[in-house]
Amino acid sequence: SAANAQVTIEGVKNGTFSSTTGLDINPSTGEINVSNSTPGTYIVKYDYTSYKCSKSTTTSFTIIANPNAPSGDSEQLFCSTSNPTVADLTALGTNIKWYTSIDGSTLATGSLEFGKTYYATQTVGTCESINRFAVTVKEQAAPKAGTTTDFIICEGSSVTEALLNASITGNDAGSWNATSGGAGTYTYTVKATSPCTTDATVTVNVTEQAAPNAGTDTSLTVCEGTEISNELLFAQLTGADAGGTW
């Protein structure tokens, strides 16, 4: 509530104070109950007696209505990677001030704390609003593309979405730039959700392993009683990769 005000006089004491309806003034002391008065400008009259003559003097007194609390969005969302500050908070009003508590005792400065509620006032003229506008700071998680492990496919086979998905971990829902094809680099993208603005991407490299070549089929004729050996068999092979077994 507003503090009481006092009309002061110089000169003759013990007079009487008065004013028009709307101003709660003590006729004996001139103390004005601001909280119980209606905002506006009043003429305060002081009647007194000097040397047995009735006299009066007047002065003006103005009560300015306490402004309303500011308005705006009671929940304000920021990207988790944006490092928002008090300057990023918004409220509709004049000469906005932000406080860390509803009683308005400590001004808010610096970085905002996600999940915390801040309180705004507005000042019109010389009057700061008694009521506060509460704003809770919310966090929008930045997109996560995760991490990938490069992998190999066999020559002649194709990359599949299942193979790509198996190569990635720790990711949010997103999409691949392609879900089929041969060797190459594939990109996974997670779209940012407002107010975050930067998409998250990660790549996986797919290489191709040549298919094994066992050579060309042939036939071998040996004399009766001849023992078949690896040497005989390998001598018949053409174009085969090393490392095979019979």
Side-chain angles (χ1 to χ4, degrees), residues 73-98:
D73 295 328
S74 60
E75 292 186 350
Q76 297 186 19
L77 187 64
F78 299 94
C79 188
S80 59
T81 57
S82 65
N83 299 315
T85 66
V86 172
D88 295 311
L89 292 171
T90 61
L92 298 176
T94 303
N95 298 321
I96 300 295
K97 293 180 182 178
W98 291 97

Side-chain angles (χ1 to χ4, degrees), residues 44-67:
V44 176
K45 183 180 180 184
Y46 179 66
D47 295 304
Y48 62 96
T49 300
S50 177
Y51 299 104
K52 298 184 179 181
C53 294
S54 297
K55 295 184 178 182
S56 65
T57 185
T58 60
T59 188
S60 64
F61 184 83
T62 299
I63 299 176
I64 301 173
N66 190 267

Side-chain angles (χ1 to χ4, degrees), residues 203-229:
T203 60
V204 61
N205 295 311
V206 181
T207 54
E208 186 177 74
Q209 173 65 51
N213 184 2
T216 304
D217 290 344
T218 188
S219 60
L220 174 64
T221 302
V222 297
C223 291
E224 183 180 0
T226 301
E227 183 178 352
I228 303 300
S229 66

Side-chain angles (χ1 to χ4, degrees), residues 38-164:
T38 303
T41 298
Y42 298 88
I43 299 299
V44 176
K45 183 180 180 184
Y46 179 66
D47 295 304
Y48 62 96
T49 300
S50 177
Y51 299 104
K52 298 184 179 181
C53 294
S54 297
K55 295 184 178 182
S56 65
T57 185
T58 60
T59 188
S60 64
F61 184 83
T62 299
I63 299 176
I64 301 173
N66 190 267
N68 295 325
S71 59
D73 295 328
S74 60
E75 292 186 350
Q76 297 186 19
L77 187 64
F78 299 94
C79 188
S80 59
T81 57
S82 65
N83 299 315
T85 66
V86 172
D88 295 311
L89 292 171
T90 61
L92 298 176
T94 303
N95 298 321
I96 300 295
K97 293 180 182 178
W98 291 97
Y99 294 89
T100 58
S101 61
I102 196 168
D103 62 8
S105 58
T106 304
L107 282 170
T109 58
S111 298
L112 295 176
E113 180 181 340
F114 290 118
K116 184 178 177 62
T117 299
Y118 296 83
Y119 302 87
T121 65
Q122 68 166 327
T123 300
V124 178
T126 59
C127 293
E128 184 175 9
S129 60
I130 295 173
N131 295 323
R132 270 60 171 155
F133 168 59
V135 171
T136 301
V137 176
K138 298 292 186 178
E139 179 180 15
Q140 174 61 56
K144 294 184 297 182
T147 57
T148 59
T149 302
D150 296 342
F151 64 93
I152 301 171
I153 59 173
C154 186
E155 180 183 8
S157 64
S158 177
V159 168
T160 65
E161 187 171 10
L163 286 172
L164 290 169

